[in-house]
């Protein structure tokens, strides 16, 4: 199978030491900056600017796949969408699936402006990543969502914090599903590349999955993946 090399777009990782403190307002799309300028820097109670910002999640690619020269690859929104659908299949009657779906759809929302920062980033550590993401979520809620729907702004921020601090059973499920979706995507890319890509290093996350239901999901993926690599030469003939 022939795969093209990722083009030199803003999605591709370019490491440069930041020269000043990162701020979310400096990273909003140009079309939104233009809208705000035409409004005289006053935010009208309309959700359109926020919707433009969220489009960035559909455009920005997941850094981990770009780092492995996987192209084309999924966007941030692709990842969160499948997570959201997965939460709808949870069988535990004690889990609020609607809340799980909300958390899944907002847990990476800050990446619309921050981008997908991986643990391997040489210039953005865990603390700085959290600072940027929190600043972004608060900025989006306060400046773009709250003027239109104050209740929605409060709920989105609470759902984001729920995930960050894993402060509910629903958040625990979503954290597990986050890992599961990544590992499933790993296996799907390995199959797509007929075993030429081996993403084993991601599978250390298997041991971090806590809920029995999602453990059963990942066990099936691991079983199928082991079978795939045991027979990859015959499969690719």
């Amino acid at each position: 199978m022939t795969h093209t090399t990722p083009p030199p777009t803003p999605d591709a990782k370019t490491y440069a030491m930041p020269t000043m403190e990162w701020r979310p307002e400096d990273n909003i799309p140009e079309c939104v900056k233009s809208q705000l300028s035409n409004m005289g820097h006053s935010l009208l109670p309309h959700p359109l600017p926020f919707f433009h910002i969220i489009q960035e999640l559909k455009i920005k690619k997941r850094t981990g796949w770009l780092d492995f020269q996987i192209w084309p690859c999924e966007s941030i929104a692709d990842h969160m969408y499948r997570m959201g659908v997965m939460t709808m299949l949870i069988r535990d009657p004690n889990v609020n699936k609607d809340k799980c779906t909300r958390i899944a759809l907002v847990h990476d929302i800050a990446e619309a402006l921050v981008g997908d920062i991986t643990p391997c980033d040489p210039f953005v550590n865990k603390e700085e990543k959290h600072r940027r993401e929190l600043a972004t979520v608060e900025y989006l809620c306060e400046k773009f969502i709250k003027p239109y729907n104050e209740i929605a702004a409060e709920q989105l921020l609470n759902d984001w914090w729920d995930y960050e601090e894993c402060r509910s059973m629903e958040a625990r499920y979503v954290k597990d599903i986050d890992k599961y979706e990544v590992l499933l995507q790993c296996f799907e890319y390995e199959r797509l590349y007929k075993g030429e890509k081996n993403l084993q290093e991601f599978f250390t996350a298997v041991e971090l999955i806590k809920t029995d239901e999602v453990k059963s999901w990942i066990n099936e993926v691991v079983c199928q993946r082991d079978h795939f690599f045991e027979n990859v030469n015959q499969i690719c003939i």
Side-chain angles (χ1 to χ4, degrees):
M1 176 176 288
T2 301
H3 298 272
T4 57
T5 301
T9 68
D11 294 318
K13 196 75 169 177
T14 302
Y15 294 124
M17 181 66 76
T19 57
M20 58 185 298
E21 183 174 278
W22 188 95
R23 303 188 310 165
E25 55 266 40
D26 296 330
N27 291 273
I28 59 176
E30 289 301 321
C31 65
V32 177
K33 290 180 181 178
S34 177
Q35 285 182 342
L36 299 183
S37 177
N38 292 336
M39 293 175 186
H41 298 285
S42 64
L43 292 173
L44 298 179
H46 197 286
L48 182 58
F50 175 68
F51 295 158
H52 284 317
I53 291 172
I54 296 306
Q55 186 203 20
E56 294 296 303
L57 296 170
K58 299 169 63 177
I59 297 171
K60 288 183 168 68
K61 304 303 181 182
R62 299 267 283 168
T63 303
W65 310 134
L66 294 175
D67 288 345
F68 275 85
Q69 297 297 299
I70 293 172
W71 185 265
C73 66
E74 68 171 354
S75 68
I76 298 166
D78 291 333
H79 167 62
M80 291 197 294
Y81 174 78
R82 183 156 69 167
M83 280 181 62
V85 174
M86 288 173 173
T87 64
M88 298 167 66
L89 273 63
I90 294 171
R91 292 192 298 190
D92 189 332
N94 297 313
V95 175
N96 183 335
K97 291 189 291 185
D98 290 344
K99 182 175 181 179
C100 286
T101 304
R102 291 202 318 267
I103 295 173
L105 292 176
V106 304
H107 81 285
D108 280 341
I109 197 169
E111 294 182 9
L113 300 184
V114 176
D116 183 20
I117 300 172
T118 72
C120 300
D121 192 299
F123 299 122
V124 182
N125 60 27
K126 183 177 180 180
E127 291 74 20
E128 174 62 12
K129 178 178 183 290
H130 176 75
R131 185 196 71 80
R132 293 185 184 189
E133 292 179 347
L134 174 58
T136 297
V137 173
E138 291 180 335
Y139 173 70
L140 294 177
C141 289
E142 183 66 25
K143 300 297 184 182
F144 292 94
I145 306 174
K146 186 177 178 179
Y148 181 74
N149 187 330
E150 186 171 353
I151 295 174
E154 182 179 358
Q155 184 176 72
L156 190 153
L157 184 58
N158 284 337
D159 287 337
W160 184 86
W161 268 117
D162 215 20
Y163 179 86
E164 282 293 298
E165 298 186 334
C166 198
R167 58 190 186 187
S168 68
M169 175 60 74
E170 288 76 16
R172 176 71 269 164
Y173 259 89
V174 176
K175 279 190 172 287
D176 283 358
I177 288 173
D178 189 5
K179 296 177 181 68
Y180 171 77
E181 201 285 330
V182 171
L183 297 177
L184 177 57
Q185 187 64 69
C186 281
F187 178 40
E188 289 167 343
Y189 282 141
E190 288 171 333
R191 286 192 310 189
L192 179 66
Y193 280 82
K194 301 186 184 302
E196 295 174 10
K197 302 281 187 184
N198 187 314
L199 303 173
Q200 175 60 35
E201 67 184 70
F202 287 88
F203 280 81
T204 58
V206 169
E207 301 302 319
L208 302 178
I209 294 175
K210 307 296 185 184
T211 56
D212 290 339
E213 186 169 358
V214 184
K215 281 182 181 179
S216 72
W217 296 359
I218 194 57
N219 287 343
E220 179 61 24
V221 172
V222 170
C223 181
Q224 290 194 19
R225 181 175 182 266
D226 288 345
H227 178 76
F228 169 77
F229 276 105
E230 287 169 1
N231 299 277
V232 67
N233 291 331
Q234 291 91 330
I235 294 172
C236 296
I237 293 175

